[in-house]
Amino acid sequence: MSKVRFQLAISLDGYAAGPDQSEKDPLGVGGTQLHEWALKLEAWRRPHGRAGGDTGPSNDVIEEVQGNVGAGIMGRNMFGGGPGPWDEDHPWNGWWGEDPPFHCPIYVLTHHQREPLEMQGGTTFHFVTDGIESALERARADAGEQDVLIGGGASAVQQYLAAGLVDEFDLHITPVVLGAGERLLENVGDLELEQLRAIEAPGVTHVKYLVVK
């Protein structure tokens, strides 16, 4: 059965990004530390067109969470390009180059209309201005029997959690204390969760939760 899920790396004090996020520093001050464990994994490197990489428990987790995804959703901040209307003279096409690692339709939550952006490798970004439910309906139609993965950032995840639209999620908890930034589990209402597993690995602990409905 198709699921709606997300995965995010967070700090020990609960932040998914550091303070002072900007187009130049999209993860905020110190935010890149949250992902250092992942950058050397084979399962991370392969979708980005890079050879080699480490295997082991973390690699197995990433293989699983990236598998069986038929469509994705992300917030405007994750796609990038700054706030406000899109710059038609200098279009922003994302952080990932001509061949993004998603290889499926991605629905970007935004307040500003833009035509779909078709990239190499099967990734097409669709820009949705009429809310999270509309984005999810369209993503589910594309995904079919596969899952819909909410890529982030924290604000997009919070909206879907608060609306009761998430089935399960994976947190990659890192031994980093950011002290400030964008906290993940705020404004999400009363969540009832069941822990499905916890896997310890170098530099990170992977915890999967079921959202009890």
Side-chain angles (χ1 to χ4, degrees), residues 43-70:
W44 185 89
R45 295 176 62 83
R46 181 176 5 98
H48 290 82
R50 303 179 186 180
D54 294 347
T55 59
S58 286
N59 199 69
D60 294 342
V61 169
I62 296 303
E63 286 276 21
E64 178 188 306
V65 298
Q66 291 181 163
N68 195 45
V69 175

PDB file of all heavy atoms in Angstrom, residues 43-70:
ATOM      1  N   ALA A  43      24.827   4.740  -1.148  1.00  0.00           N
ATOM      2  CA  ALA A  43      23.423   4.990  -1.471  1.00  0.00           C
ATOM      3  C   ALA A  43      23.130   6.470  -1.654  1.00  0.00           C
ATOM      4  O   ALA A  43      22.151   6.833  -2.310  1.00  0.00           O
ATOM      5  CB  ALA A  43      22.514   4.417  -0.381  1.00  0.00           C
ATOM      6  N   TRP A  44      23.945   7.349  -1.081  1.00  0.00           N
ATOM      7  CA  TRP A  44      23.807   8.787  -1.326  1.00  0.00           C
ATOM      8  C   TRP A  44      24.553   9.185  -2.588  1.00  0.00           C
ATOM      9  O   TRP A  44      24.058   9.979  -3.408  1.00  0.00           O
ATOM     10  CB  TRP A  44      24.335   9.592  -0.144  1.00  0.00           C
ATOM     11  CG  TRP A  44      24.109  11.071  -0.313  1.00  0.00           C
ATOM     12  CD1 TRP A  44      23.019  11.797   0.069  1.00  0.00           C
ATOM     13  CD2 TRP A  44      24.995  12.008  -0.966  1.00  0.00           C
ATOM     14  NE1 TRP A  44      23.171  13.119  -0.288  1.00  0.00           N
ATOM     15  CE2 TRP A  44      24.371  13.276  -0.923  1.00  0.00           C
ATOM     16  CE3 TRP A  44      26.243  11.888  -1.567  1.00  0.00           C
ATOM     17  CZ2 TRP A  44      24.958  14.413  -1.461  1.00  0.00           C
ATOM     18  CZ3 TRP A  44      26.838  13.025  -2.112  1.00  0.00           C
ATOM     19  CH2 TRP A  44      26.195  14.276  -2.053  1.00  0.00           C
ATOM     20  N   ARG A  45      25.724   8.647  -2.792  1.00  0.00           N
ATOM     21  CA  ARG A  45      26.561   9.049  -3.913  1.00  0.00           C
ATOM     22  C   ARG A  45      25.988   8.604  -5.266  1.00  0.00           C
ATOM     23  O   ARG A  45      26.048   9.343  -6.246  1.00  0.00           O
ATOM     24  CB  ARG A  45      27.975   8.465  -3.727  1.00  0.00           C
ATOM     25  CG  ARG A  45      28.711   9.027  -2.520  1.00  0.00           C
ATOM     26  CD  ARG A  45      30.062   8.339  -2.322  1.00  0.00           C
ATOM     27  NE  ARG A  45      30.944   8.557  -3.465  1.00  0.00           N
ATOM     28  CZ  ARG A  45      31.699   9.639  -3.637  1.00  0.00           C
ATOM     29  NH1 ARG A  45      31.687  10.603  -2.733  1.00  0.00           N
ATOM     30  NH2 ARG A  45      32.487   9.749  -4.696  1.00  0.00           N
ATOM     31  N   ARG A  46      25.406   7.415  -5.312  1.00  0.00           N
ATOM     32  CA  ARG A  46      24.935   6.874  -6.588  1.00  0.00           C
ATOM     33  C   ARG A  46      23.883   7.760  -7.259  1.00  0.00           C
ATOM     34  O   ARG A  46      24.009   8.058  -8.453  1.00  0.00           O
ATOM     35  CB  ARG A  46      24.409   5.450  -6.367  1.00  0.00           C
ATOM     36  CG  ARG A  46      23.926   4.777  -7.630  1.00  0.00           C
ATOM     37  CD  ARG A  46      23.486   3.332  -7.444  1.00  0.00           C
ATOM     38  NE  ARG A  46      23.480   2.859  -6.107  1.00  0.00           N
ATOM     39  CZ  ARG A  46      22.400   2.784  -5.315  1.00  0.00           C
ATOM     40  NH1 ARG A  46      21.216   3.153  -5.777  1.00  0.00           N
ATOM     41  NH2 ARG A  46      22.482   2.312  -4.085  1.00  0.00           N
ATOM     42  N   PRO A  47      22.818   8.202  -6.554  1.00  0.00           N
ATOM     43  CA  PRO A  47      21.827   9.055  -7.221  1.00  0.00           C
ATOM     44  C   PRO A  47      22.389  10.402  -7.670  1.00  0.00           C
ATOM     45  O   PRO A  47      21.802  11.064  -8.522  1.00  0.00           O
ATOM     46  CB  PRO A  47      20.736   9.243  -6.151  1.00  0.00           C
ATOM     47  CG  PRO A  47      20.941   8.126  -5.190  1.00  0.00           C
ATOM     48  CD  PRO A  47      22.403   7.867  -5.180  1.00  0.00           C
ATOM     49  N   HIS A  48      23.526  10.803  -7.072  1.00  0.00           N
ATOM     50  CA  HIS A  48      24.161  12.057  -7.459  1.00  0.00           C
ATOM     51  C   HIS A  48      25.224  11.846  -8.540  1.00  0.00           C
ATOM     52  O   HIS A  48      26.006  12.758  -8.837  1.00  0.00           O
ATOM     53  CB  HIS A  48      24.797  12.724  -6.237  1.00  0.00           C
ATOM     54  CG  HIS A  48      23.803  13.249  -5.255  1.00  0.00           C
ATOM     55  ND1 HIS A  48      23.187  12.451  -4.304  1.00  0.00           N
ATOM     56  CD2 HIS A  48      23.287  14.491  -5.076  1.00  0.00           C
ATOM     57  CE1 HIS A  48      22.362  13.180  -3.585  1.00  0.00           C
ATOM     58  NE2 HIS A  48      22.399  14.415  -4.024  1.00  0.00           N
ATOM     59  N   GLY A  49      25.257  10.639  -9.116  1.00  0.00           N
ATOM     60  CA  GLY A  49      26.175  10.366 -10.207  1.00  0.00           C
ATOM     61  C   GLY A  49      27.610  10.164  -9.786  1.00  0.00           C
ATOM     62  O   GLY A  49      28.523  10.315 -10.600  1.00  0.00           O
ATOM     63  N   ARG A  50      27.832   9.757  -8.533  1.00  0.00           N
ATOM     64  CA  ARG A  50      29.188   9.563  -8.026  1.00  0.00           C
ATOM     65  C   ARG A  50      29.431   8.095  -7.731  1.00  0.00           C
ATOM     66  O   ARG A  50      28.548   7.402  -7.224  1.00  0.00           O
ATOM     67  CB  ARG A  50      29.407  10.397  -6.759  1.00  0.00           C
ATOM     68  CG  ARG A  50      29.157  11.887  -6.973  1.00  0.00           C
ATOM     69  CD  ARG A  50      29.355  12.671  -5.699  1.00  0.00           C
ATOM     70  NE  ARG A  50      28.978  14.065  -5.884  1.00  0.00           N
ATOM     71  CZ  ARG A  50      29.058  14.989  -4.927  1.00  0.00           C
ATOM     72  NH1 ARG A  50      29.492  14.646  -3.713  1.00  0.00           N
ATOM     73  NH2 ARG A  50      28.691  16.238  -5.179  1.00  0.00           N
ATOM     74  N   ALA A  51      30.626   7.629  -8.043  1.00  0.00           N
ATOM     75  CA  ALA A  51      30.970   6.222  -7.845  1.00  0.00           C
ATOM     76  C   ALA A  51      31.473   5.977  -6.427  1.00  0.00           C
ATOM     77  O   ALA A  51      31.869   6.899  -5.709  1.00  0.00           O
ATOM     78  CB  ALA A  51      32.037   5.799  -8.850  1.00  0.00           C
ATOM     79  N   GLY A  52      31.461   4.697  -6.045  1.00  0.00           N
ATOM     80  CA  GLY A  52      32.034   4.297  -4.755  1.00  0.00           C
ATOM     81  C   GLY A  52      31.173   4.699  -3.583  1.00  0.00           C
ATOM     82  O   GLY A  52      29.993   5.025  -3.712  1.00  0.00           O
ATOM     83  N   GLY A  53      31.764   4.625  -2.405  1.00  0.00           N
ATOM     84  CA  GLY A  53      31.058   4.992  -1.188  1.00  0.00           C
ATOM     85  C   GLY A  53      31.008   3.861  -0.192  1.00  0.00           C
ATOM     86  O   GLY A  53      31.227   2.692  -0.520  1.00  0.00           O
ATOM     87  N   ASP A  54      30.730   4.211   1.049  1.00  0.00           N
ATOM     88  CA  ASP A  54      30.698   3.249   2.137  1.00  0.00           C
ATOM     89  C   ASP A  54      29.395   2.458   2.129  1.00  0.00           C
ATOM     90  O   ASP A  54      28.346   2.950   1.705  1.00  0.00           O
ATOM     91  CB  ASP A  54      30.832   3.963   3.483  1.00  0.00           C
ATOM     92  CG  ASP A  54      32.191   4.629   3.663  1.00  0.00           C
ATOM     93  OD1 ASP A  54      33.102   4.331   2.857  1.00  0.00           O
ATOM     94  OD2 ASP A  54      32.332   5.454   4.591  1.00  0.00           O
ATOM     95  N   THR A  55      29.480   1.246   2.636  1.00  0.00           N
ATOM     96  CA  THR A  55      28.290   0.443   2.890  1.00  0.00           C
ATOM     97  C   THR A  55      28.199   0.190   4.390  1.00  0.00           C
ATOM     98  O   THR A  55      29.054   0.606   5.151  1.00  0.00           O
ATOM     99  CB  THR A  55      28.338  -0.879   2.107  1.00  0.00           C
ATOM    100  OG1 THR A  55      29.515  -1.599   2.497  1.00  0.00           O
ATOM    101  CG2 THR A  55      28.373  -0.630   0.607  1.00  0.00           C
ATOM    102  N   GLY A  56      27.145  -0.491   4.826  1.00  0.00           N
ATOM    103  CA  GLY A  56      26.961  -0.745   6.250  1.00  0.00           C
ATOM    104  C   GLY A  56      25.562  -0.357   6.679  1.00  0.00           C
ATOM    105  O   GLY A  56      24.675  -0.134   5.845  1.00  0.00           O
ATOM    106  N   PRO A  57      25.324  -0.251   7.995  1.00  0.00           N
ATOM    107  CA  PRO A  57      23.967   0.004   8.486  1.00  0.00           C
ATOM    108  C   PRO A  57      23.324   1.277   7.943  1.00  0.00           C
ATOM    109  O   PRO A  57      22.157   1.265   7.545  1.00  0.00           O
ATOM    110  CB  PRO A  57      24.153   0.085  10.015  1.00  0.00           C
ATOM    111  CG  PRO A  57      25.401  -0.689  10.288  1.00  0.00           C
ATOM    112  CD  PRO A  57      26.281  -0.478   9.109  1.00  0.00           C
ATOM    113  N   SER A  58      24.075   2.376   7.922  1.00  0.00           N
ATOM    114  CA  SER A  58      23.494   3.623   7.414  1.00  0.00           C
ATOM    115  C   SER A  58      23.159   3.515   5.934  1.00  0.00           C
ATOM    116  O   SER A  58      22.130   4.022   5.477  1.00  0.00           O
ATOM    117  CB  SER A  58      24.460   4.794   7.644  1.00  0.00           C
ATOM    118  OG  SER A  58      24.487   5.174   8.997  1.00  0.00           O
ATOM    119  N   ASN A  59      24.022   2.855   5.182  1.00  0.00           N
ATOM    120  CA  ASN A  59      23.768   2.689   3.761  1.00  0.00           C
ATOM    121  C   ASN A  59      22.491   1.870   3.537  1.00  0.00           C
ATOM    122  O   ASN A  59      21.679   2.182   2.656  1.00  0.00           O
ATOM    123  CB  ASN A  59      24.949   2.006   3.087  1.00  0.00           C
ATOM    124  CG  ASN A  59      24.962   2.209   1.585  1.00  0.00           C
ATOM    125  OD1 ASN A  59      25.191   3.310   1.101  1.00  0.00           O
ATOM    126  ND2 ASN A  59      24.702   1.150   0.840  1.00  0.00           N
ATOM    127  N   ASP A  60      22.301   0.833   4.349  1.00  0.00           N
ATOM    128  CA  ASP A  60      21.089   0.015   4.231  1.00  0.00           C
ATOM    129  C   ASP A  60      19.842   0.837   4.516  1.00  0.00           C
ATOM    130  O   ASP A  60      18.812   0.689   3.839  1.00  0.00           O
ATOM    131  CB  ASP A  60      21.158  -1.177   5.189  1.00  0.00           C
ATOM    132  CG  ASP A  60      22.249  -2.170   4.823  1.00  0.00           C
ATOM    133  OD1 ASP A  60      22.726  -2.133   3.667  1.00  0.00           O
ATOM    134  OD2 ASP A  60      22.624  -2.975   5.698  1.00  0.00           O
ATOM    135  N   VAL A  61      19.913   1.716   5.525  1.00  0.00           N
ATOM    136  CA  VAL A  61      18.765   2.562   5.857  1.00  0.00           C
ATOM    137  C   VAL A  61      18.437   3.499   4.706  1.00  0.00           C
ATOM    138  O   VAL A  61      17.266   3.650   4.314  1.00  0.00           O
ATOM    139  CB  VAL A  61      19.039   3.359   7.151  1.00  0.00           C
ATOM    140  CG1 VAL A  61      17.971   4.440   7.359  1.00  0.00           C
ATOM    141  CG2 VAL A  61      19.073   2.428   8.355  1.00  0.00           C
ATOM    142  N   ILE A  62      19.448   4.140   4.143  1.00  0.00           N
ATOM    143  CA  ILE A  62      19.207   5.082   3.058  1.00  0.00           C
ATOM    144  C   ILE A  62      18.684   4.363   1.814  1.00  0.00           C
ATOM    145  O   ILE A  62      17.804   4.871   1.110  1.00  0.00           O
ATOM    146  CB  ILE A  62      20.484   5.879   2.744  1.00  0.00           C
ATOM    147  CG1 ILE A  62      20.865   6.734   3.953  1.00  0.00           C
ATOM    148  CG2 ILE A  62      20.294   6.755   1.519  1.00  0.00           C
ATOM    149  CD1 ILE A  62      19.779   7.690   4.411  1.00  0.00           C
ATOM    150  N   GLU A  63      19.203   3.170   1.543  1.00  0.00           N
ATOM    151  CA  GLU A  63      18.667   2.378   0.429  1.00  0.00           C
ATOM    152  C   GLU A  63      17.170   2.152   0.619  1.00  0.00           C
ATOM    153  O   GLU A  63      16.379   2.260  -0.328  1.00  0.00           O
ATOM    154  CB  GLU A  63      19.384   1.026   0.353  1.00  0.00           C
ATOM    155  CG  GLU A  63      20.800   1.087  -0.184  1.00  0.00           C
ATOM    156  CD  GLU A  63      20.846   1.060  -1.698  1.00  0.00           C
ATOM    157  OE1 GLU A  63      19.827   1.383  -2.339  1.00  0.00           O
ATOM    158  OE2 GLU A  63      21.906   0.730  -2.234  1.00  0.00           O
ATOM    159  N   GLU A  64      16.780   1.838   1.846  1.00  0.00           N
ATOM    160  CA  GLU A  64      15.364   1.558   2.118  1.00  0.00           C
ATOM    161  C   GLU A  64      14.510   2.804   1.983  1.00  0.00           C
ATOM    162  O   GLU A  64      13.474   2.791   1.317  1.00  0.00           O
ATOM    163  CB  GLU A  64      15.194   0.973   3.514  1.00  0.00           C
ATOM    164  CG  GLU A  64      13.744   0.700   3.870  1.00  0.00           C
ATOM    165  CD  GLU A  64      13.569   0.292   5.323  1.00  0.00           C
ATOM    166  OE1 GLU A  64      14.255  -0.662   5.746  1.00  0.00           O
ATOM    167  OE2 GLU A  64      12.754   0.925   6.018  1.00  0.00           O
ATOM    168  N   VAL A  65      14.928   3.901   2.620  1.00  0.00           N
ATOM    169  CA  VAL A  65      14.065   5.089   2.635  1.00  0.00           C
ATOM    170  C   VAL A  65      13.995   5.756   1.259  1.00  0.00           C
ATOM    171  O   VAL A  65      13.019   6.447   0.951  1.00  0.00           O
ATOM    172  CB  VAL A  65      14.503   6.103   3.713  1.00  0.00           C
ATOM    173  CG1 VAL A  65      14.391   5.496   5.090  1.00  0.00           C
ATOM    174  CG2 VAL A  65      15.894   6.635   3.457  1.00  0.00           C
ATOM    175  N   GLN A  66      14.993   5.552   0.420  1.00  0.00           N
ATOM    176  CA  GLN A  66      14.969   6.115  -0.922  1.00  0.00           C
ATOM    177  C   GLN A  66      14.273   5.191  -1.923  1.00  0.00           C
ATOM    178  O   GLN A  66      14.007   5.592  -3.062  1.00  0.00           O
ATOM    179  CB  GLN A  66      16.392   6.414  -1.408  1.00  0.00           C
ATOM    180  CG  GLN A  66      17.063   7.553  -0.663  1.00  0.00           C
ATOM    181  CD  GLN A  66      18.455   7.863  -1.163  1.00  0.00           C
ATOM    182  OE1 GLN A  66      19.008   8.932  -0.890  1.00  0.00           O
ATOM    183  NE2 GLN A  66      19.051   6.940  -1.886  1.00  0.00           N
ATOM    184  N   GLY A  67      13.967   3.967  -1.494  1.00  0.00           N
ATOM    185  CA  GLY A  67      13.338   3.003  -2.381  1.00  0.00           C
ATOM    186  C   GLY A  67      11.833   3.148  -2.420  1.00  0.00           C
ATOM    187  O   GLY A  67      11.205   3.727  -1.523  1.00  0.00           O
ATOM    188  N   ASN A  68      11.221   2.618  -3.465  1.00  0.00           N
ATOM    189  CA  ASN A  68       9.765   2.578  -3.643  1.00  0.00           C
ATOM    190  C   ASN A  68       9.125   3.966  -3.579  1.00  0.00           C
ATOM    191  O   ASN A  68       8.027   4.145  -3.052  1.00  0.00           O
ATOM    192  CB  ASN A  68       9.110   1.665  -2.592  1.00  0.00           C
ATOM    193  CG  ASN A  68       7.676   1.302  -2.967  1.00  0.00           C
ATOM    194  OD1 ASN A  68       7.398   0.966  -4.115  1.00  0.00           O
ATOM    195  ND2 ASN A  68       6.773   1.362  -2.003  1.00  0.00           N
ATOM    196  N   VAL A  69       9.812   4.973  -4.113  1.00  0.00           N
ATOM    197  CA  VAL A  69       9.287   6.334  -4.138  1.00  0.00           C
ATOM    198  C   VAL A  69       8.811   6.645  -5.551  1.00  0.00           C
ATOM    199  O   VAL A  69       9.590   6.577  -6.510  1.00  0.00           O
ATOM    200  CB  VAL A  69      10.345   7.356  -3.693  1.00  0.00           C
ATOM    201  CG1 VAL A  69       9.816   8.784  -3.844  1.00  0.00           C
ATOM    202  CG2 VAL A  69      10.760   7.097  -2.247  1.00  0.00           C
ATOM    203  N   GLY A  70       7.527   6.989  -5.686  1.00  0.00           N
ATOM    204  CA  GLY A  70       6.970   7.300  -6.990  1.00  0.00           C
ATOM    205  C   GLY A  70       6.812   8.780  -7.260  1.00  0.00           C
ATOM    206  O   GLY A  70       6.653   9.199  -8.406  1.00  0.00           O
TER     207      GLY A  70
END
